[in-house]
Amino acid sequence: DAKTTQPNSMESNEEEPVHLPCNHSTISGTDYIHWYRQLPSQGPEYVIHGLTSNVNNRMASLAIAEDRKSSTLILHRATLRDAAVYYCILRYGGSEKLVFGKGMKLTVNP
Amino acid sequence: NAGVTQTPKFRILKIGQSMTLQCTQDMNHNYMYWYRQDPGMGLKLIYYSVGAGITDKGEVPNGYNVSRSTTEDFPLRLELAAPSQTSVYFCASSFWVGSDYGYTFGSGTRLTVV
């Protein structure tokens, strides 16, 4: 499985936008970029995914670099509830599996 | 819809005991998964199933067994519990969203082996 690299942690302020980076320099053409988040004492939660084009949903936006070697999860207006561990994951299009790394802890300051 | 339901939420086992972690989903998803998460780490895949009667090993299957007799249920069996199996266990099922599968997870079972 192709690997992703994320910072160990980031801090943001409430009601400000947050840009969470992810590098995936060995991504292949059939790898989907997925983001999940895990709130304390809960199971992971699907956030968003994309292949080549930028994606928006009610939770976040995903900006994918033109060469697909990096992506950025954008939370447009951070709230305290967004404090979580965020996982950037590459999922091979033909695979049934999702492989998690250690993720990145986001702290949101009031 | 209840989503993915796991029972029990907490359990303490003695070394050598056995138990079954229950997982059920009411979304008619074919794909189901079991993961474990050790403190400060990401999730590791134990077993998965692509439909009733079909299961396959994940990254860390040793010490565990699974069965999938129905679409709804995917129990995880621990035989001869060991301290190394102390972890939080998550069950998940996958759903189609747009162009790929997303996963929905249960709330987890926290298992301690003493």
Side-chain angles (χ1 to χ4, degrees), chain A residues 8-105:
Chain A
N8 288 332
S9 62
M10 283 185 66
E11 279 195 40
S12 68
N13 295 319
E14 200 175 9
E15 300 187 7
E16 292 184 357
V18 185
H19 290 229
L20 309 179
C22 181
N23 288 319
H24 27 79
S25 58
T26 60
I27 191 170
S28 71
T30 53
D31 285 338
Y32 287 84
I33 302 161
H34 281 248
W35 284 83
Y36 283 75
R37 71 181 185 182
Q38 187 173 20
L39 279 63
S41 302
Q42 294 189 27
E45 174 186 30
Y46 169 83
V47 177
I48 200 167
H49 81 274
L51 184 62
T52 56
S53 303
N54 295 344
V55 185
N56 300 298
N57 66 20
R58 63 175 180 81
M59 290 181 71
S61 295
L62 176 61
I64 301 173
E66 196 168 334
D67 63 4
R68 300 186 72 233
K69 292 183 186 296
S70 66
S71 61
T72 303
L73 180 70
I74 303 166
L75 306 179
H76 295 286
R77 194 166 165 270
T79 69
L80 296 178
R81 196 195 173 275
D82 292 320
V85 176
Y86 285 78
Y87 297 95
C88 171
I89 302 167
L90 298 184
R91 199 183 87 84
Y92 170 57
S95 169
E96 303 88 359
K97 297 175 284 188
L98 204 61
V99 179
F100 286 79
K102 293 181 73 172
M104 185 210 74
K105 183 176 181 179

Side-chain angles (χ1 to χ4, degrees), chain B residues 54-109:
Chain B
I54 306 170
T55 63
D56 207 347
K57 296 178 181 179
E59 190 180 357
V60 290
N62 291 344
Y64 307 94
N65 279 300
V66 293
S67 59
R68 184 94 182 271
S69 56
T70 66
T71 299
E72 295 78 18
D73 300 307
F74 190 39
L76 177 72
R77 178 82 177 162
L78 276 73
E79 305 281 2
L80 299 175
S84 61
Q85 292 178 305
T86 294
S87 190
V88 181
Y89 292 83
F90 291 101
C91 180
S93 67
S94 59
F95 59 96
W96 188 252
V97 53
S99 57
D100 195 18
Y101 284 98
Y103 284 41
T104 186
F105 285 82
S107 57
T109 295

Side-chain angles (χ1 to χ4, degrees), chain B residues 32-62:
Chain B
M32 294 187 73
Y33 310 82
W34 274 105
Y35 288 86
R36 60 175 285 174
Q37 184 174 34
D38 297 332
M41 305 297 288
L43 282 72
K44 292 188 184 298
L45 182 64
I46 305 171
Y47 271 95
Y48 65 100
S49 169
V50 301
I54 306 170
T55 63
D56 207 347
K57 296 178 181 179
E59 190 180 357
V60 290
N62 291 344

